[in-house]
Amino acid sequence: DAGITQSPRHKVTETGTPVTLRCHQTENHRYMYWYRQDPGHGLRLIHYSYGVKDTDKGEVSDGYSVSRSKTEDFLLTLESATSSQTSVYFCAISESGQNSGYTFGSGTRLTVV
Amino acid sequence: AQSVTQPDIHITVSEGASLELRCNYSYGATPYLFWYVQSPGQGLQLLLKYFSGDTLVQGIKGFEAEFKRSQSSFNLRKPSVHWSDAAEYFCAGVRGTSYGKLTFGQGTILTVHP
């Protein structure tokens, strides 16, 4: 979507390696989110940020960490990738949360072999 | 705990038929509610949203949804389905004081027969 980009779009990595996914926005929105999408589970929140250096855990945060050193970038790190982390990862941004709506990135398809 | 449930995993309709996708929510107070659509290999596109006021909400692509507090439901409807509507549909909700953390339903896959 315009104003939000995710990189890489696709990645294959080996079990046990660290992986970092990047979400970049040009909207200057305060809130950023990382979700993972798996069949039968919809999208589940991994971590979110409500400002620079302000982050918190979501529903499925084990094995993941995040950082937000600038408003525009929100990084998701898999500290030691496992096959259960094979998924499609979506970043979302929101200006004020709740009623300001959300814009989603195009997703990153991660395969852990 | 807050939750959003979509009871139907897969729905098949004929082109031109009407459509209703079900969504139930469980929140202590009225949440903000959304419907998103996802085409294969694509991201999520917002169809419509409900915050307050009129309980019948109009969205894009001819979709509408009705908020029913008594039934804790927010069902998505379309009077006449087109083949291009085949996709996966997600209902989502957020509580007013939760940093905007969306909770998604499991999704409903819509197949449209010609």
Side-chain angles (χ1 to χ4, degrees), chain B residues 1-6 23-33 50 66-74 91-93:
Chain B
Q2 295 95 33
S3 69
V4 174
T5 304
Q6 295 177 245
C23 173
N24 296 105
Y25 66 89
S26 174
Y27 284 83
T30 299
Y32 301 120
L33 296 165
Y50 172 77
E66 186 170 13
F67 172 75
K68 293 186 177 179
R69 185 191 307 274
S70 62
Q71 298 177 17
S72 297
S73 69
F74 186 58
C91 182

Side-chain angles (χ1 to χ4, degrees), chain A residues 1 9 30-31 33 35 37 40-43 45 48 50 57 90 97-102 104-106 109, chain B residues 32 34 36 38 41-44 46 49 51 88 90 94-107:
Chain A
D1 259 36
R9 291 296 311 277
R30 176 183 177 188
Y31 295 88
Y33 311 85
Y35 289 87
Q37 182 180 22
H41 292 278
L43 280 79
L45 182 66
Y48 65 100
Y50 47 96
K57 297 177 180 180
F90 285 98
Q98 307 152 22
N99 62 350
S100 64
Y102 304 80
F104 283 84
S106 299
R109 182 174 295 276
Chain B
Y32 301 120
F34 306 80
Y36 287 90
Q38 183 181 36
Q42 303 298 312
L44 280 78
L46 178 67
K49 57 190 177 186
F51 295 148
E88 189 162 16
F90 292 96
V94 61
R95 194 163 54 91
T97 57
S98 64
Y99 292 103
K101 294 178 290 181
L102 275 175
T103 298
F104 284 84
Q106 299 89 330

Side-chain angles (χ1 to χ4, degrees), chain B residues 11 13 17-22 34-39 45-49 55-66 74-90 108-112:
Chain B
I11 283 185
V13 299
S18 63
L19 172 70
E20 183 169 27
L21 302 182
R22 296 185 291 163
F34 306 80
W35 274 100
Y36 287 90
V37 61
Q38 183 181 36
S39 298
Q45 181 182 22
L46 178 67
L47 285 175
L48 48 78
K49 57 190 177 186
T55 56
L56 186 62
V57 180
Q58 301 298 320
I60 63 171
K61 302 185 179 187
F63 285 93
E64 66 178 26
E66 186 170 13
F74 186 58
N75 294 348
L76 182 71
R77 300 194 297 246
K78 187 169 185 178
S80 178
V81 171
H82 188 262
W83 64 266
S84 60
D85 293 323
E88 189 162 16
Y89 292 79
F90 292 96
T108 299
I109 298 171
L110 174 65
T111 298
V112 180

